[in-house]
Amino acid sequence: MFSGLTKTRDQFLGAVDDVLKGFKKIDEDLYEELEEALIMADFGVETTMNIMEKLREKVKTEKITEPGDLKLALQEIITGILTAHEWKPLVEEGKPNVILVIGVNGVGKTTTIGKLAHQFKEENKNVILAAADTFRAAAIEQLQIWADRSGVPLVKHEEGSDPAAVVYDGIKAAKSRKCDLLICDTAGRLQNKTNLMKELEKMGRIIEREYPEAHKEVLIVLDATTGQNAISQVKVFKEVANVDGIILTKLDGTAKGGAVVGICENLNVPVKYIGVGEKIDDLQPFDPKAFAAALFE
Ligand code: GDP
């Protein structure tokens, strides 16, 4: 299921196995080497320290003496961190849904929107897209390609038009077509935080005013290959908007999958989906237990 995690797993598990095989008993040197393996997989310093502290405690309370047994102990600790958030489905049944997708350019926002549209359409949901990233003509064109690919309609305006007006028209179209789900692309320009905040606030107001019956989610798309940088992006976006969930892309192309654990621990925002490739089917709901197991199997 987690074929996209191969690189992270191979590096991380390889490093952990090497460490554990190299020691006959659990001592400070072993802890230090394990710590390094976690850092290399981009768990982040803070999360690594926390995991190591929990591991030491577990070794004491469970009287673990064999280095080989530390693997299961680590897996249990990581599973605990990843399952701290309850996974709620993105789309609420029986009411219309609006998803605002935010994130900086290049993280895989357009691709992810296309994948989500495809996935929900496969579930027999009536989906519509809105190209509210009006800042770049290329963004609108790219989204059109993904809308065609997934066979869902796209509401779009000219480049440079008011994104909130696109959302407004998207809502109108969603209502008249009785859509279950409207997914809006947005421009992720962090360079100008005040503008971004105003833009997102305005879109939020339009949704509240025009579509009060709808369930709204703001999802941030992050590129897993940027590891710990992804965490700082969420922190900045959280200053300008409520962020309800994370989609982590490009896990297939990185050995930094450990960043997921850091993200779950640090940000208090649940990871909802992971992108594991460039194709339309390469998006999976994030299953924390399966993810933790995949790191160790
Ligand atoms: P945007 O600028 O954020 O809209 O990014 P795009 O959707 O255009 O994606 C940027 C690049 O990342 C493209 O080449 C995508 O094919 C690639 N991409 C997106 N998601 C994934 C993923 O999960 N895995 C891989 N390997 N590539 C991805």
Side-chain angles (χ1 to χ4, degrees):
M1 181 186 178
F2 278 103
S3 54
L5 258 187
T6 320
K7 280 197 184 166
T8 300
R9 199 233 2 248
D10 286 355
Q11 188 192 305
F12 173 65
L13 197 55
V16 169
D17 279 339
D18 282 350
V19 173
L20 298 183
K21 268 188 225 138
F23 287 87
K24 292 212 163 50
K25 61 179 179 48
I26 299 170
D27 60 17
E28 273 315 302
D29 290 343
L30 186 158
Y31 282 130
E32 228 166 78
E33 288 193 21
L34 264 187
E35 198 174 296
E36 198 162 319
L38 291 168
I39 299 270
M40 291 303 286
D42 227 340
F43 281 71
V45 175
E46 220 175 295
T47 303
T48 298
M49 294 306 165
N50 184 8
I51 292 173
M52 292 311 297
E53 202 182 306
K54 288 194 169 122
L55 187 64
R56 285 167 198 265
E57 262 171 43
K58 214 168 162 58
V59 165
K60 261 194 211 146
T61 52
E62 295 177 14
K63 303 191 169 53
I64 300 172
T65 51
E66 290 299 315
D69 294 340
L70 289 179
K71 202 152 106 180
L72 183 62
L74 259 183
Q75 182 173 349
E76 283 169 1
I77 291 166
I78 290 170
T79 308
I81 294 174
L82 291 175
T83 48
H85 294 291
E86 185 195 354
W87 197 91
K88 283 203 216 101
L90 203 54
V91 166
E92 283 194 8
E93 299 292 335
K95 53 158 80 174
N97 290 265
V98 182
I99 299 174
L100 281 184
V101 184
I102 62 176
V104 301
N105 290 337
V107 291
K109 202 153 47 89
T110 319
T111 309
T112 301
I113 292 171
K115 289 173 177 174
L116 281 173
H118 169 74
Q119 198 162 101
F120 284 111
K121 202 177 163 225
E122 292 280 286
E123 290 173 17
N124 288 322
K125 299 247 178 328
N126 200 354
V127 184
I128 188 165
L129 304 181
D133 177 355
T134 58
F135 191 67
R136 295 175 306 147
I140 304 172
E141 283 159 24
Q142 279 295 316
L143 198 60
Q144 183 67 64
I145 293 171
W146 276 102
D148 294 343
R149 219 172 259 166
S150 46
V152 303
L154 170 71
V155 173
K156 61 181 177 181
H157 288 191
E158 293 289 295
E159 178 189 1
S161 57
D162 181 359
V166 182
V167 172
Y168 180 88
D169 280 353
I171 293 171
K172 241 173 46 186
K175 279 183 182 171
S176 72
R177 289 168 179 262
K178 297 196 171 34
C179 286
D180 305 295
L181 177 61
L182 164 66
I183 309 176
C184 307
D185 189 14
T186 69
R189 284 173 298 129
L190 276 183
Q191 296 87 337
N192 189 335
K193 270 202 276 175
T194 320
N195 267 357
L196 182 67
M197 187 173 345
K198 279 194 191 139
E199 208 169 283
L200 291 171
E201 266 174 11
K202 194 167 169 192
M203 288 189 229
R205 277 203 307 277
I206 299 267
I207 295 167
E208 260 155 49
R209 196 183 71 204
E210 300 298 324
Y211 218 13
E213 67 273 35
H215 167 72
K216 184 182 140 213
E217 290 258 336
V218 179
L219 291 184
I220 186 165
V221 179
L222 301 172
D223 177 343
T225 62
T226 64
Q228 293 299 302
N229 267 343
I231 293 185
S232 4
Q233 278 170 25
V234 179
K235 285 186 178 154
V236 179
F237 269 103
K238 273 177 100 176
E239 290 169 21
V240 299
N242 279 330
V243 181
D244 301 304
I246 292 169
I247 298 184
L248 201 62
T249 64
K250 308 187 197 179
L251 267 171
D252 51 306
T254 182
K256 296 179 175 181
V260 178
V261 184
I263 284 170
C264 283
E265 190 180 42
N266 266 295
L267 293 172
N268 210 21
V269 182
V271 176
K272 298 234 169 176
Y273 283 88
I274 53 173
V276 291
E278 293 185 273
K279 291 200 287 300
I280 203 157
D281 283 321
D282 293 332
L283 185 76
Q284 302 171 351
F286 179 63
D287 176 342
K289 276 200 190 116
F291 186 92
L295 277 179
F296 288 90
E297 276 158 16

